[in-house]
Amino acid sequence: MSEMIQAENLTFRYTDFSHTTHLALDGVNLTIPYGQFAAILGRNGSGKSTFAKNCNAIALPSGGRVLVDGIDTMQPDRIWDIRRACSMVFQNPDNQIVATVVEEDVAFGLENMGVPPKEIRRRVNEALRMVGMYEYRMHAPHLLSGGQKQRVAIAGVLAMEPKCIVLDEPTAMLDPRGRADVMHVLHRLHEEKGITIVLITHHMDEAVQAQRVAVLASGHLILDGTPREIFVQTEKLHSLGLTAPQSVQLLEALNRQAHAGLETDALTVEECTDRLEAWLKGGRT
C-alpha cells in the first residue's frame, strides 16, 4: 500500500441552522502517497477544509469513502488509530493549546495515551527542538507570538509521532515572519522525518513550495499536478477566484506588453530574476 490518504468518490453534505442541506464535497477522488508534501488550494467554500476534516475523521463521508493509512474512516472502533496516524493542526492555535506551560501542552496527548513518563519526556523534548521551541518549554503559551503558538501546536501533534500531519490554513492568522517560520518547520518535518504533509492554504507562495497542488472548487477537484503545472494555468485559476504567483504574473505581463517571449513557469523570485536578467541581456529563456 502506497497511499497515506485515499479519497474515493468522497461526498459530504451538511445541514445548516436553517435546516438547509449543502453539498460541500461532490465525488472527490484524491490520493496522497506516503511522504508527499501536498497543498490543497481553493477559495472560501471550495470544500478544502471539509476535505481536511475527512482526512482526520473529524467529519465522516456522506458518500464514498476515505482510507487513512489503510483504515476506513467509517470504522468507529479505529478512530484513534486514524488520528494517531494522521494528526491535524488548525488555523487558530489558541483552539488547540490546553495547558498553561508549553511543555505540559505538548505532553497532553501523550499522557492521555498512557505513554510512560520517560518516553513522554523524550518525545516532548525532541518535538520542541524540531520546531525550534525548546528554549520556550517553560513559558506560558499565552505570552508567545502567533507563530510561536502555532509551532507549539505542531510540536503537540509531532510528539504523537504521526505518519501524516494535515494543517488547515495554519498561517492564516500570522504575520509574514510567523508564516515563514511555520513553513520552515513543515519542510524540516517533511525532509528529515519523512512525514506526509497536507497543507490547506490560500497563500500561493506557500503552495508553490509543495511537491503537488490540488485545487478544489464548489466541492469538486478541478486541478491536480505539480506547482509548475498548475500555476501556469493563470486563466483557469482566475476563473476559480485564485491568482498565480506574482512571478508568473510579471512574466506574463511582459509577454503581453513587450512580446518578451519568456517562459512563465518561474515560481520563485530567484527563477524570475534569472529569466529577467537573461532577457535584458538579449538572451532567451
Side-chain angles (χ1 to χ4, degrees), residues 71-91:
I71 306 169
D72 193 322
T73 60
M74 293 298 286
Q75 295 179 251
D77 59 328
R78 302 297 303 277
I79 292 297
W80 294 113
D81 293 327
I82 291 168
R83 291 179 181 169
R84 277 195 289 267
C86 184
S87 296
M88 192 158 179
V89 175
F90 298 95
Q91 182 181 117

Side-chain angles (χ1 to χ4, degrees), residues 36-150:
Q36 188 173 75
F37 192 138
I40 311 293
L41 280 177
R43 61 186 303 178
N44 291 342
S46 65
K48 61 186 188 296
S49 291
T50 302
F51 179 82
K53 292 173 183 175
N54 271 271
C55 293
N56 189 248
I58 293 174
L60 298 175
S62 304
R65 68 173 185 166
V66 178
L67 301 178
V68 177
D69 197 26
I71 306 169
D72 193 322
T73 60
M74 293 298 286
Q75 295 179 251
D77 59 328
R78 302 297 303 277
I79 292 297
W80 294 113
D81 293 327
I82 291 168
R83 291 179 181 169
R84 277 195 289 267
C86 184
S87 296
M88 192 158 179
V89 175
F90 298 95
Q91 182 181 117
N92 187 347
D94 289 330
N95 294 337
Q96 202 156 348
I97 293 175
V98 297
T100 57
V101 178
V102 164
E103 67 173 11
E104 292 177 1
D105 186 81
V106 178
F108 180 77
L110 301 177
E111 291 170 346
N112 288 338
M113 290 170 57
V115 176
K118 187 175 181 180
E119 177 65 8
I120 289 177
R121 172 57 57 191
R122 182 193 71 78
R123 290 200 202 180
V124 167
N125 289 345
E126 181 182 5
L128 286 171
R129 287 191 176 98
M130 196 71 189
V131 302
M133 290 297 293
Y134 182 75
E135 63 186 277
Y136 295 91
R137 64 192 180 280
M138 299 306 296
H139 283 55
H142 73 274
L143 298 178
L144 302 176
S145 70
Q148 289 172 327
K149 288 180 182 179
Q150 196 61 284

Side-chain angles (χ1 to χ4, degrees), residues 9-55:
N9 199 31
L10 173 60
T11 300
F12 184 83
R13 296 179 178 86
Y14 69 94
T15 303
D16 63 22
F17 292 113
S18 64
H19 305 291
T20 302
T21 299
H22 302 270
L23 185 60
L25 294 171
D26 187 9
V28 172
N29 291 287
L30 180 61
T31 57
I32 298 172
Y34 287 99
Q36 188 173 75
F37 192 138
I40 311 293
L41 280 177
R43 61 186 303 178
N44 291 342
S46 65
K48 61 186 188 296
S49 291
T50 302
F51 179 82
K53 292 173 183 175
N54 271 271
C55 293

Side-chain angles (χ1 to χ4, degrees), residues 214-267:
V215 180
L216 294 176
S218 301
H220 295 88
L221 178 63
I222 305 298
L223 298 172
D224 184 11
T226 66
R228 212 171 293 278
E229 291 169 339
I230 298 300
F231 289 121
V232 294
Q233 302 183 56
T234 53
E235 290 186 9
K236 183 67 173 179
L237 291 171
H238 288 156
S239 73
L240 299 173
L242 301 171
T243 60
Q246 291 183 341
S247 56
V248 174
Q249 295 183 61
L250 173 61
L251 295 176
E252 285 197 338
L254 284 171
N255 284 344
R256 287 194 305 270
Q257 298 175 21
H259 306 290
L262 293 161
E263 294 289 339
T264 60
D265 62 344
L267 302 184

